[in-house]
């Protein structure tokens, strides 16, 4: 296959059929330009905030903040980059982007979920992948074992900030591999790396594999069973990408995971103790 086709939202039957056959589909107008522009501003602001907290000089203007800013933070302490990542997905600008009704509508169609089936957005994040850093990249995998067990869901992936290219390590897919449903695979916990639940090579080889280069505004929807993997960022820019998924809450096995947040720096209890003197009542 050359470059996979792009569909517009109003070509509903065509993109649904393509998704059924290939396990993925790219819509060219699913992410609004405004949503991207707003998010870009927020991301730049967040990086600047952490540069300040790290006592680093602000970067020059333009887009330098997106790459140089992150690389400077990484050089001081990876925790600043981790905090940037943890901040972006909680911003209203990010939430607006992933909550676009057009995206919800496409997910409903692909899931066959009518309006009385609530959707649950799970692990929607903006990945930050600096050049030459493979700690959080994934080999060929299916998402089914990285999410709510037995869930019915659609995954999404999109470039944010910059277009994604082969050089910047755009996502790769194995065409039609969703037909395997649950492929033979192995679970590997590797210290210092994202857990790798890797599909057997012989099975991956049955399918045509290719990177999906994408421009801002495009959104890739794919089946939870499609084999996919991260590319290697050999460019000089940091890659920003939207990863996430939408589960059908009405699907019988769906059960909401418990979320847990922990504090970086001071805990609420420490803050309380700093200000409040407890007087024990006899
Ligand atoms: O963006 C990437 O590097 C790949 C992401 C991925 O494989 C996933 O979210 O499951």
């Amino acid at each position: 296959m050359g470059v996979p086709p792009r569909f517009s939202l109003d070509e509903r039957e065509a993109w649904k059929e393509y998704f059924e056959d290939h396990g993925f589909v790219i819509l060219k107008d699913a992410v609004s330009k405004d949503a991207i522009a707003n998010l870009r501003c927020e991301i730049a602001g967040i990086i600047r905030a952490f540069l300040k907290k790290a006592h680093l000089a602000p970067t020059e203007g333009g887009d330098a903040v997106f790459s140089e800013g992150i690389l400077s933070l990484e050089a001081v302490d990876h925790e600043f980059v981790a905090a940037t990542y943890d901040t972006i997905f909680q911003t209203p600008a990010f939430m607006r982007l992933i909550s676009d009704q057009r995206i919800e509508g496409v997910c409903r169609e692909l899931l066959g979920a009518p309006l009385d089936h609530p959707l649950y957005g799970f692990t929607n994040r903006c990945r930050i992948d600096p050049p030459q850093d493979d700690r959080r990249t994934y080999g060929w995998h299916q998402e089914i074992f990285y999410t709510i067990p037995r869930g019915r869901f659609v995954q999404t992936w999109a470039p944010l900030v910059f277009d994604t290219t082969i050089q910047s390590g755009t996502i790769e897919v194995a065409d039609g591999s969703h037909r395997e449903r649950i492929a033979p695979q192995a679970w590997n916990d590797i210290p210092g790396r994202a857990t790798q639940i890797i599909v057997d090579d012989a099975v991956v080889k049955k399918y045509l594999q290719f990177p999906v280069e994408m421009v801002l505004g495009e959104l890739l929807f794919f089946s939870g069973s499609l084999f996919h993997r991260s590319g290697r960022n050999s460019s000089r820019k940091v890659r920003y990408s939207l990863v996430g998924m939408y589960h059908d809450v009405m699907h019988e096995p769906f059960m909401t995971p418990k979320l847990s947040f922990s504090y970086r720096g001071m805990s609420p209890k420490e803050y309380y103790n700093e200000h409040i003197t407890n007087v024990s009542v006899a």
Side-chain angles (χ1 to χ4, degrees):
M1 136 143 14
V3 176
R6 268 51 178 178
F7 296 90
S8 53
L9 277 162
D10 53 16
E11 297 174 294
R12 202 176 111 231
E13 287 313 315
W15 52 251
K16 272 178 79 170
E17 194 181 319
Y18 190 91
F19 180 85
E20 293 299 323
D21 285 352
H22 297 265
F24 72 93
V25 71
I26 304 168
L27 295 201
K28 59 183 166 195
D29 47 4
V31 185
S32 83
K33 296 259 180 296
D34 276 358
I36 297 225
N38 288 334
L39 184 61
R40 260 179 145 256
C41 282
E42 290 300 81
I43 295 175
I46 293 165
I47 298 169
R48 287 196 193 101
F50 282 103
L51 286 170
K52 204 164 166 196
K53 292 177 209 297
H55 308 292
L56 292 168
T59 50
E60 296 295 314
D63 284 350
V65 68
F66 296 117
S67 290
E68 284 165 32
I70 289 292
L71 297 178
S72 309
L73 290 172
E74 183 73 49
V76 173
D77 186 347
H78 174 70
E79 267 305 292
F80 287 118
V81 180
T84 303
Y85 171 89
D86 286 339
T87 308
I88 296 170
F89 79 92
Q90 299 282 20
T91 59
F94 183 81
M95 290 184 188
R96 274 195 297 277
L97 191 149
I98 61 162
S99 309
D100 190 317
Q101 284 189 320
R102 293 174 303 178
I103 299 177
E104 184 183 354
V106 175
C107 289
R108 285 190 181 287
E109 286 287 346
L110 298 178
L111 286 167
L115 285 174
D116 63 346
H117 286 218
L119 295 189
Y120 176 80
F122 188 47
T123 54
N124 282 291
R125 298 285 187 274
C126 170
R127 283 184 62 113
I128 303 175
D129 288 278
Q132 326 292 346
D133 183 348
D134 290 331
R135 283 173 294 178
R136 286 163 295 280
T137 61
Y138 294 93
W140 288 109
H141 64 284
Q142 297 178 298
E143 210 61 18
I144 46 176
F145 295 124
Y146 285 96
T147 187
I148 302 163
R150 303 189 180 131
R152 181 191 290 150
F153 66 99
V154 172
Q155 252 187 290
T156 47
W157 197 99
L160 299 173
V161 180
F162 302 120
D163 298 344
T164 52
T165 59
I166 294 175
Q167 224 198 356
S168 71
T170 197
I171 191 165
E172 299 176 20
V173 299
D175 195 355
S177 55
H178 63 306
R179 296 187 192 285
E180 294 285 331
R181 293 178 178 273
I182 301 185
Q185 50 199 292
W187 184 300
N188 305 286
D189 290 315
I190 304 166
R193 284 208 60 189
T195 299
Q196 301 283 327
I197 311 166
I198 301 298
V199 176
D200 291 1
D201 229 23
V203 189
V204 179
K205 283 200 179 109
K206 285 166 55 182
Y207 299 92
L208 186 63
Q209 308 137 31
F210 48 85
V212 184
E213 296 195 299
M214 291 173 70
V215 298
L216 292 172
E218 293 181 334
L219 185 55
L220 167 71
F221 294 86
F222 58 108
S223 154
S225 298
L226 189 81
F227 308 168
H228 61 286
R229 72 172 178 186
S230 311
R232 173 148 227 272
N233 186 356
S234 55
S235 76
R236 297 174 62 183
K237 284 192 199 162
V238 172
R239 182 177 85 241
Y240 292 84
S241 52
L242 171 73
V243 290
M245 66 189 78
Y246 299 83
H247 276 263
D248 180 351
V249 174
M250 198 65 88
H251 182 53
E252 209 277 323
F254 175 89
M255 189 40 81
T256 318
K258 291 186 192 178
L259 300 181
S260 87
F261 285 88
S262 56
Y263 292 85
R264 288 190 171 90
M266 186 178 253
S267 70
K269 187 72 186 289
E270 284 161 347
Y271 179 41
Y272 172 91
N273 286 340
E274 187 183 82
H275 289 276
I276 310 289
T277 311
N278 278 325
V279 181
S280 52
V281 182

